[in-house]
Amino acid sequence: MRLVRALEDIGVNKFIVGRRRYAFLSDESVESVGIALHALVVYHFGSMSEGTTTPGMGSDIDTLHCNDDVNVINGWPEWKRGRTNLLMVKHVTCSPQHYRLQIADSDFPRPLTVATDEFCIPDENGTFSLSNTLVEVTFRRIYTKCNLPYRRTGPSHSHSEMYDNVFAYRCRKLPAECESWLTRERYGDWPTPDMLQAARDLGCFLISDGYCYSVHSSVEWRISPSLIERHLMFSMDMIHVQCYVALKLLKKDIIKPYLNESGKLTSFHCKTALFYAREQLPSSMWRDECLFDCIIYCLNLLRCWSIKGHCPHYIMDTVNLFDGKMDREGRQNLNDILTIIMDSHLAPLASIDTDHLGARLLHNVYTVAIWDLTPRRVVHQQITEFLSVISISKKLKLVRTILNAADDCSPDEMCLRLNSWITQLPLQQLNRTCSEQRLSRLDVVNRDFTVRYLCQHLASTAASTCIQHGMPIGTRIWTWYSMSMTTDATSSRLKLVSMFYCKGDLQLAADVLEDVQRRYDDRVQAMCGCGRMNALTTQPKAAFAETLNDETDILGTNKVAFCVRFLRHEAFCAPPVLHFEMIREVGNDIQHRDVGDDIQHREIGDDIQHVTERMWMKWAVVDSRPFLHYLQYLTFRGLGVRQRQLHALLELQHCTRDGVGQNQLFHPETAANLLAHCWEMEHRPALAVCAYRSSLEKCPRNNAANIHIHRLTGEQ
C-alpha cells in the first residue's frame, strides 16, 4: 500500500493517467485532422499516450505517421486500381516479424517489372521490393532543408531527443504471425473475446526497420502491432499501470546502471512481462495489497527469459525481443540483478531517485516528514499544466498550418476557402477500440475548436472587405464573429474590438474592451501558436492549473489568451500601425511580397523557431495583453477620455517592460512597436525611437521597427 500511495503521489493514479490519455489522443486527433488532406494519419504511442510515465522519467513523445493512401495487401485479390499497392511477401531470407514489400503495377494486379526510382530494389525473380531507406532519405532531406539536426534511433527519426517520429504503412489484415495469438488457448479471463475481435480489426503497421542480423535489412519492413498493444494497455486497471510503472522505474534506476554496456533492457521488455502476467495471474491477485507480488511475478518472467535466452513477443511469440538488445553476458548480468532485487523483496525500490520515489516510500514508513518532497497536489498541477500547454499548442499549430496554406489568394477567394473548410473540414476517422470509446468524441471536439477559430478569420476577412469598400457588415459576418467568441478568453473579442475601431464605432469598441478587461484576470495564461512558445518548457502561471479541474478539461479556453493574428486579407480590420507588421522591411508595402534582405531570411533559419516563424511572417501577430492596452489607448483617445487613455498607456508600458510580464509575451518586439507608436501619438518622438530600438534588440530581423526608425530618423 505504501508503494501505491507513493506512485499516486507522482501521478500514477486514475485522474492523471486519464488526463494523459485524453490529452495525447486529443493531439492525435488534431494532427490527423490537419494532415488528412495529405493522406497521412498520426498516432501517438508509448508511455505518454498510455499514461504510464512520470515527470522524472523524461519520456519522449512517440509519434507514428502512417501513409493511408498506400494499399498494403496480403494477396492480389486485395489490389485496388488507382492506389499505390504494396504486396507483403515472406521471402525466404526474412526473419520472423519481417516482410518485403513488393511493388505492384499501377494498372494491373501484377508485380512491377520496371524500376521507377532508386528505392526500387530488384529481386532475383525480376520483381522489385521497396527499400526502407526511403524513409531515412526523406526525413534527412526534410530536416536538412529546415536546417534542423537529424537523429536516428532504430526506426525513429527526429530533430530532438524529446520526439521520436516513425513512418509506417498500414496493413488492415493481421498477418499469419499474429493469428496464432488470437486463437491460442488461454486459462485466464484476459484478453476477453471482445478485445480479441477488436484487435483483429485493428490490423498492424509496417515500419522501416530491418532485422538486426539480416544481410538484406534494407528491404525488410517490420510488423508493428502498436494499435493492438495500445488497445491492451487501455484495458488495464490502475493496479496494472502501477505495476508497469514500478517495473520501468526499477529498470531505469537499478537495472540499467548494473547492466552498464553489456545489454539493454527496454520498457517494451517490461510491457511484455506485464502482458503475460496479466494473462496468467488470476484477477484476484491484482489488488493494491498484492502489488509487490505482481511486480515480483513480472521480474521472475524476465529472469526466466534471460536464462532461456529468449524473450517472446506477446503477440508474435516466435520473435525474440532480446535479439540486438542483449548478448549472453548481458542476459547473465540481467539474471544476477533480477535475482538480487527479488531476493531482497524489492528493497531497491527505496533507492530509486527518480521522482524521489524511494524517499516517498520512506516517508510513508516513518512519521518524520521529508520536507524537500514536492507535495502530491503540486506534482499533479505541474503535469496538468504541461498537458494543457501541449494540447493547446497542437490546436494552434493546426490552425496556423491551415491558414498558411491559403495565404496567397485574394480576399474573396480567402473567404470562399475558409467557408469551405468550415463546412467541410475533413474528419479523420481514427480507429477507436472499445476501451477508447469514451474518447471518440475528440474528433468532434477538435473539429469544433478549429471551425470556431477559422470563423474568427472568416469574419475579419469579410468585414475587412466591407470596410474597404464602404459596405455595411452583413448578418452572416456577425454570426461568424459570434461563433468565434469561445475559442479563448481574449483573441476573438480583441479582433472584434479592432474591427469596431476601424469602422469608427468607438463606443461599441469601448464596451467590448470592458468585457475583455474583466475576463483577463490573474488566472489567464498567455499562449502562442506561432512556434515561439516551447510547449515542453513553458511554465504557466500557478493559478492557471487550478482552473483545470475536470479530467477532460484540457483546454481551459476561458482562461487562456491566444496571440492575435491578422492576415493581409484582414488589413482593414487592423489598426494602421499593424500594417507595417505585415511588411517588416524598408522599401516594401503591403501589396508586394518577398523582396529584400530581411524577407530572404524568412525562408530558412537555424533552428525550429525560425522554421515555424516563416509560416506567419506575412501576418501581423501580437500578444493579447499589449494589444488590449493598445486598443484601449486608441479607443479612449478617439472618445476624448484622456485619463483612461493615459492609464492604458501606463499599462502597456508596464506589460512590455515588467520582468514578470515578459514571461507572458511571445511577440515582445511587436508589443514594443505598439508602445513606440503610442509615444508618437503623444508627440514624444525621442521616446518612440527609444522604444523602436528596444524592439530591434529583441528581434533584429523581420521587424517593422526598421521601417519606423527610418521614417522618424531617416536611418536605414
Side-chain angles (χ1 to χ4, degrees):
M1 294 298 291
R2 294 195 300 270
L3 179 58
V4 171
R5 288 195 296 270
L7 289 170
E8 289 178 344
D9 285 348
I10 60 177
V12 192
N13 58 66
K14 185 176 181 180
F15 176 79
I16 295 297
V17 169
R19 170 152 282 194
R20 285 187 185 277
R21 292 178 178 179
Y22 185 93
F24 279 92
L25 286 177
S26 176
D27 296 346
E28 180 178 289
S29 171
V30 167
E31 293 189 65
S32 292
V33 167
I35 60 179
L37 296 175
H38 304 291
L40 286 174
V41 183
V42 172
Y43 297 90
H44 285 302
F45 295 118
S47 57
M48 284 292 196
S49 62
E50 295 168 356
T52 55
T53 187
T54 66
M57 284 189 186
S59 300
D60 54 18
I61 299 175
D62 299 316
T63 305
L64 184 144
H65 304 266
C66 175
N67 188 342
D68 243 12
D69 196 42
V70 172
N71 184 34
V72 177
I73 59 179
N74 287 276
W76 290 114
E78 300 172 25
W79 180 91
K80 294 182 180 179
R81 186 179 299 276
R83 300 274 298 277
T84 299
N85 295 272
L86 298 174
L87 176 66
M88 294 175 61
V89 175
K90 194 68 173 180
H91 195 269
V92 292
T93 61
C94 289
S95 62
Q97 200 183 359
H98 287 82
Y99 280 80
R100 292 191 181 189
L101 293 179
Q102 188 179 90
I103 305 171
D105 192 292
S106 58
D107 298 320
F108 299 98
R110 63 188 182 191
L112 183 72
T113 55
V114 178
T116 56
D117 55 43
E118 69 271 24
F119 302 111
C120 297
I121 307 300
D123 298 327
E124 60 275 7
N125 55 5
T127 60
F128 291 89
S129 296
L130 182 65
S131 171
N132 60 38
T133 59
L134 163 71
V135 178
E136 179 179 354
V137 170
T138 302
F139 271 105
R140 280 188 181 275
R141 188 176 299 155
I142 292 172
Y143 290 141
T144 300
K145 182 178 180 181
C146 297
N147 278 354
L148 295 174
Y150 173 79
R151 298 176 61 256
R152 176 173 181 179
T153 307
S156 70
H157 312 263
S158 70
H159 60 80
S160 167
E161 292 183 357
M162 280 304 298
Y163 296 94
D164 276 342
N165 298 303
V166 174
F167 180 84
Y169 296 114
R170 180 80 175 275
C171 179
R172 301 288 175 177
K173 182 180 178 181
L174 284 178
E177 284 94 329
C178 301
E179 286 290 337
S180 60
W181 170 72
L182 295 171
T183 57
R184 77 178 182 216
E185 187 176 4
R186 293 179 174 84
Y187 300 99
D189 58 357
W190 186 91
T192 64
D194 288 343
M195 291 174 60
L196 293 173
Q197 181 56 49
R200 185 189 299 273
D201 296 337
L202 288 172
C204 65
F205 297 106
L206 288 157
I207 64 177
S208 57
D209 188 29
Y211 184 52
C212 56
Y213 300 134
S214 173
V215 295
H216 304 286
S217 61
S218 64
V219 291
E220 294 181 343
W221 295 74
R222 176 163 62 87
I223 298 172
S224 175
S226 302
L227 277 174
I228 297 176
E229 291 159 4
R230 188 173 75 177
H231 172 43
L232 296 176
M233 286 302 303
F234 275 35
S235 74
M236 301 280 189
D237 295 330
M238 192 48 53
I239 186 67
H240 307 117
V241 173
Q242 290 171 339
C243 176
Y244 178 40
V245 172
L247 289 172
K248 295 208 302 183
L249 289 169
L250 282 169
K251 183 262 302 180
K252 179 179 183 293
D253 280 23
I254 307 300
I255 299 175
K256 181 179 178 180
Y258 187 89
L259 292 179
N260 199 2
E261 299 298 326
S262 63
K264 182 180 181 181
L265 186 73
T266 68
S267 296
F268 194 71
H269 291 120
C270 298
K271 182 185 291 186
T272 301
L274 175 69
F275 285 156
Y276 278 103
R278 176 67 181 92
E279 178 180 312
Q280 296 168 5
L281 287 176
S283 297
S284 58
M285 279 289 295
W286 294 100
R287 306 191 313 272
D288 288 354
E289 55 269 27
C290 297
L291 178 57
F292 268 47
D293 295 328
C294 295
I295 295 172
I296 289 176
Y297 188 90
C298 293
L299 294 175
N300 191 49
L301 284 174
L302 289 170
R303 184 174 65 173
C304 291
W305 295 335
S306 68
I307 295 172
K308 295 178 181 178
H310 182 87
C311 177
H313 193 290
Y314 180 64
I315 297 174
M316 297 166 282
D317 54 10
T318 58
V319 175
N320 185 2
L321 296 178
F322 283 153
D323 284 351
K325 301 293 183 182
M326 207 168 292
D327 56 17
R328 181 186 297 272
E329 179 187 357
R331 295 195 300 270
Q332 181 58 52
N333 291 338
L334 177 62
N335 177 58
D336 294 342
I337 185 59
L338 291 176
T339 301
I340 293 172
I341 294 172
M342 295 168 62
D343 289 348
S344 65
H345 302 286
L346 304 185
L349 283 170
S351 303
I352 292 178
D353 292 330
T354 301
D355 298 297
H356 304 291
L357 181 71
R360 292 181 186 277
L361 285 172
L362 296 176
H363 174 58
N364 288 326
V365 173
Y366 304 109
T367 57
V368 178
I370 303 177
W371 297 109
D372 61 344
L373 294 181
T374 306
R376 173 188 292 196
R377 179 186 61 82
V378 176
V379 173
H380 294 182
Q381 177 177 307
Q382 292 170 346
I383 296 173
T384 299
E385 292 170 349
F386 167 77
L387 295 173
S388 179
V389 172
I390 284 283
S391 292
I392 292 173
S393 64
K394 290 286 186 182
K395 290 170 175 59
L396 293 178
K397 178 183 176 183
L398 165 63
V399 177
R400 184 186 74 213
T401 303
I402 291 175
L403 293 174
N404 189 70
D407 193 48
D408 294 318
C409 63
S410 67
D412 289 342
E413 186 181 355
M414 184 67 170
C415 286
L416 291 174
R417 289 192 186 186
L418 288 174
N419 193 44
S420 175
W421 278 328
I422 287 170
T423 55
Q424 303 176 23
L425 187 69
L427 266 178
Q428 181 62 49
Q429 299 300 320
L430 300 177
N431 292 82
R432 304 291 185 194
T433 60
C434 53
S435 58
E436 297 172 300
Q437 284 305 309
R438 69 187 183 89
L439 303 170
S440 62
R441 67 183 183 277
L442 286 172
D443 296 332
V444 177
V445 171
N446 290 318
R447 180 188 183 278
D448 181 60
F449 174 86
T450 306
V451 165
R452 285 185 280 115
Y453 203 112
L454 292 178
C455 279
Q456 174 190 123
H457 289 280
L458 176 57
S460 188
T461 300
S464 177
T465 301
C466 291
I467 293 173
Q468 179 184 10
H469 298 289
M471 298 185 299
I473 295 178
T475 304
R476 292 186 66 189
I477 297 177
W478 295 117
T479 301
W480 292 329
Y481 270 118
S482 178
M483 290 175 63
S484 71
M485 287 298 115
T486 53
T487 53
D488 66 322
T490 60
S491 66
S492 294
R493 291 174 174 83
L494 289 174
K495 292 190 76 168
L496 179 62
V497 172
S498 184
M499 184 272 291
F500 281 141
Y501 172 78
C502 294
K503 189 171 177 288
D505 295 331
L506 298 183
Q507 190 54 57
L508 288 175
D511 292 342
V512 180
L513 283 171
E514 292 290 341
D515 178 53
V516 177
Q517 184 71 60
R518 284 193 301 269
R519 293 173 182 274
Y520 212 138
D521 57 30
D522 291 338
R523 293 176 296 173
V524 171
Q525 170 67 37
M527 297 277 184
C528 174
C530 301
R532 288 189 168 184
M533 181 183 74
N534 188 330
L536 300 178
T537 59
T538 295
Q539 295 294 326
K541 293 180 178 179
F544 172 63
E546 297 174 3
T547 67
L548 305 171
N549 297 317
D550 188 330
E551 174 187 316
T552 59
D553 181 22
I554 293 296
L555 286 181
T557 50
N558 291 329
K559 293 301 175 185
V560 293
F562 301 152
C563 52
V564 184
R565 300 167 173 169
F566 288 96
L567 311 184
R568 295 193 178 198
H569 314 85
E570 306 171 54
F572 291 92
C573 280
V577 73
L578 287 184
H579 296 182
F580 293 98
E581 301 295 326
M582 304 176 187
I583 304 167
R584 301 175 189 268
E585 186 197 14
V586 178
N588 201 7
D589 61 56
I590 200 170
Q591 300 300 324
H592 296 83
R593 300 169 180 265
D594 292 2
V595 293
D597 182 60
D598 272 5
I599 295 183
Q600 296 291 333
H601 283 264
R602 298 184 195 180
E603 300 306 317
I604 196 163
D606 55 6
D607 56 34
I608 188 64
Q609 176 177 317
H610 289 94
V611 172
T612 53
E613 279 188 1
R614 72 175 186 232
M615 299 181 70
W616 56 268
M617 272 295 162
K618 300 173 186 176
W619 310 341
V621 187
V622 58
D623 295 288
S624 281
R625 172 70 80 177
F627 194 47
L628 165 64
H629 299 314
Y630 179 72
L631 287 175
Q632 287 173 332
Y633 179 89
L634 293 180
T635 301
F636 295 129
R637 179 175 183 261
L639 291 172
V641 187
R642 180 62 175 170
Q643 184 176 359
R644 299 194 68 177
Q645 176 191 355
L646 292 177
H647 179 72
L649 176 59
L650 183 64
E651 289 294 319
L652 177 57
Q653 184 175 3
H654 177 72
C655 80
T656 56
R657 295 182 178 179
D658 176 52
V660 177
Q662 289 291 319
N663 295 328
Q664 295 288 302
L665 289 183
F666 300 98
H667 301 272
E669 78 283 3
T670 307
N673 290 341
L674 296 183
L675 175 62
H677 186 239
C678 289
W679 287 128
E680 284 194 65
M681 289 184 283
E682 290 290 315
H683 304 292
R684 305 183 70 175
L687 287 177
V689 171
C690 182
Y692 285 132
R693 294 194 189 281
S694 173
S695 174
L696 284 178
E697 290 177 2
K698 298 177 175 66
C699 182
R701 288 193 178 276
N702 297 318
N703 190 340
N706 287 305
I707 303 174
H708 297 301
I709 292 175
H710 173 72
R711 176 171 53 81
L712 292 175
T713 67
E715 297 179 12
Q716 291 290 341

